[in-house]
Amino acid sequence: MPELATEIEQLSLVIEIGGMPVRVNTSDPGFLAMLQNRYAGFIGASDHAEVEFDIDLTRPKAGDPNADVRVTQQSGRWSLERGDFRAQWEPAAHRGWIRQSANPYSIDAVLRIVHTLVLARQGGFLLHSASAIRNGKAFLFAGVSEAGKTTISRLAPPDATLLTDEISYVRKLEDDYLAFGTPFTGELAKVGENVSAPIAALYLLAKGSENRIEPVAPAEAARSLLANLLFFAEDQELVQQVFHHAFEFVKRVPVSRLAFVPDARVWELIG
Amino acid sequence: MSKLYIARSPKLAARVLDGEMMIMSGQDSTLFTLNKTATVIWQAADGKTTLEEIVERRIVPEFEIDADAALQDAETLARELASHGILQVSEEPIAPANPAAGDAQ
């Protein structure tokens, strides 16, 4: 008797950002290849994964990827929703699913959100900032769109290792804050290196008539950090934690304003 | 003008640093910073004291401004903060919800 059903081959990939392995399972070889290309440099070799997502690919629909994202929790299960995807994740079970079309942007957003939720419990966060390692120390360059994140990244000298030109990954390990490379790119469209280093300084970017570093009062440092945090969850407890982490960070890490002209000599001030 | 009671929303995180009050909404993570006057009003918002009393006892003496104008500005401010969900406004006293907003030191 012929088999009535054919087993669908399950393909998987571990994406390791910030030292956290996330396994994604798909039955679509083309989508898997897309992910391997998108997250090149961040593909983990380990069988172990902190989180595992089954991806259910749908036909492309007219959902708006620029629509507001909603991240809510109920009975220990997170729901993530935007115009172009839906996802659920149950941290206790380390499992979840993502429903999206075969594009790299939706899963990118899901990964960013999941990392913000995990980091919020560990004293870390994602920050709208470029970051780079120089002389064994990491430097963050925060600012909103057009503040100069891409420019400062583009001007980085050869001895600087770019971690990201758009979204920095900050983890707290004991008393130190570390910056990790991320595949989350901005205008430079260059994936960061998958390495990490202790954070030596956070610079708030500003356009200036000359290159200079200016002191920043603690309140402005905290306000600027909070304004540049990526956090999406409608969850009182996690908001409290992220808020607290931001103040802890500015207590421990020097924060200054970096005014600069689009000139590579700005890097003479850094490192 | 009717009596208004105001209370800090429990669904937020708040902290004062260098005299500047920073508040993050627990609903959508929006960040608010309050000026000195708004900070005084927000800190005094216990749900039991009317806005009029807060203005009379705290705002007018400290900032040396006209009481009527101060009350009008305070009510506008209170309603604006309420629209963002970081303050509750009522014509009745407001019972305390939970101590989360007490983080505002």
Side-chain angles (χ1 to χ4, degrees):
Chain A
M1 187 169 143
E3 286 192 27
L4 296 177
T6 311
E7 191 174 325
I8 297 171
E9 188 183 4
Q10 192 68 272
L11 306 165
S12 73
L13 180 73
V14 173
I15 302 166
E16 193 164 333
I17 303 166
M20 187 178 87
V22 176
R23 182 186 303 283
V24 291
N25 302 318
T26 175
S27 56
D28 187 312
F31 185 64
L32 185 80
M34 181 193 288
L35 295 181
Q36 282 169 330
N37 181 49
R38 167 70 186 87
Y39 296 106
F42 292 85
I43 306 297
S46 163
D47 278 346
H48 168 73
E50 293 286 330
V51 186
E52 183 161 356
F53 283 107
D54 294 326
I55 299 183
D56 178 15
L57 290 180
T58 60
R59 287 183 181 179
K61 57 176 186 176
D64 179 7
N66 295 317
D68 284 345
V69 66
R70 283 210 71 196
V71 181
T72 54
Q73 189 201 173
Q74 198 165 28
S75 306
R77 180 178 298 166
W78 286 99
S79 292
L80 291 54
E81 200 165 344
R82 199 173 68 177
D84 58 322
F85 67 78
R86 283 187 64 213
Q88 285 200 350
W89 169 48
E90 205 170 337
H94 301 276
R95 289 196 66 96
W97 53 261
I98 303 167
R99 194 163 294 144
Q100 63 159 92
S101 65
N103 76 83
Y105 312 110
S106 304
I107 189 167
D108 221 60
V110 172
L111 288 176
R112 284 199 298 264
I113 293 166
V114 168
H115 278 279
T116 62
L117 297 175
V118 171
L119 285 169
R121 299 250 181 241
Q122 299 175 346
F125 44 80
L126 297 187
L127 186 69
H128 276 296
S129 75
S131 47
I133 297 174
R134 199 174 194 203
N135 299 326
K137 296 177 287 187
F139 300 90
L140 273 54
F141 306 92
V144 292
S145 184
E146 306 290 318
K149 299 191 293 293
T150 303
T151 306
I152 197 91
S153 305
R154 193 179 284 129
L155 294 172
D159 68 333
T161 303
L162 185 68
L163 297 175
T164 175
D165 71 326
E166 182 69 13
I167 296 175
S168 292
Y169 195 110
V170 177
R171 273 185 78 172
K172 190 176 184 205
L173 287 182
E174 298 180 354
D175 287 339
D176 281 333
Y177 285 95
L178 302 185
F180 286 74
T182 77
F184 308 129
T185 61
E187 283 177 42
L188 203 57
K190 185 181 170 195
V191 171
E193 293 290 325
N194 192 1
V195 290
S196 65
I199 300 172
L202 164 62
Y203 294 113
L204 309 177
L205 292 176
K207 286 174 182 159
S209 54
E210 58 179 351
N211 297 325
R212 65 181 187 279
I213 293 173
E214 301 166 346
V216 166
E220 185 184 351
R223 182 175 1 100
S224 301
L225 178 65
L226 286 164
N228 284 296
L229 283 180
L230 268 83
F231 194 72
F232 315 92
E234 299 168 27
D235 185 279
Q236 170 63 10
E237 187 197 338
L238 274 194
V239 167
Q240 291 267 6
Q241 289 186 6
V242 168
F243 193 75
H244 174 72
H245 299 331
F247 282 89
E248 278 300 301
F249 182 90
V250 298
K251 240 197 279 183
R252 291 170 183 271
V253 177
V255 182
S256 313
R257 182 176 297 100
L258 176 63
F260 75 110
V261 289
D263 181 326
R265 283 174 299 180
V266 64
W267 278 88
E268 292 171 7
L269 302 175
I270 297 158
Chain B
M1 195 180 290
S2 58
K3 282 188 175 178
L4 280 187
Y5 295 85
I6 57 174
R8 298 187 293 271
S9 167
K11 294 181 178 176
L12 50 80
R15 193 180 288 204
V16 178
L17 191 58
D18 294 345
E20 185 176 315
M21 173 66 75
M22 280 169 261
I23 300 172
M24 189 175 248
S25 161
Q27 289 178 324
D28 57 10
S29 312
T30 308
L31 179 68
F32 301 91
T33 55
L34 304 186
N35 64 20
K36 283 183 181 172
T37 319
T39 298
V40 169
I41 292 171
W42 197 82
Q43 285 178 316
D46 59 5
K48 297 180 291 191
T49 313
T50 65
L51 186 60
E52 194 172 1
E53 288 172 310
I54 293 170
V55 169
E56 274 177 14
R57 292 178 196 165
R58 305 286 306 276
I59 302 294
V60 172
E62 191 168 334
F63 298 96
E64 296 178 351
I65 48 177
D66 174 71
D68 288 340
L71 182 58
Q72 202 163 10
D73 290 348
E75 184 170 340
T76 303
L77 173 76
R79 293 199 185 281
E80 191 185 337
L81 296 181
S83 74
H84 292 295
I86 62 175
L87 197 69
Q88 297 167 274
V89 176
S90 169
E91 292 182 3
E92 304 290 332
I94 302 165
N98 72 38
D103 196 25
Q105 299 304 313

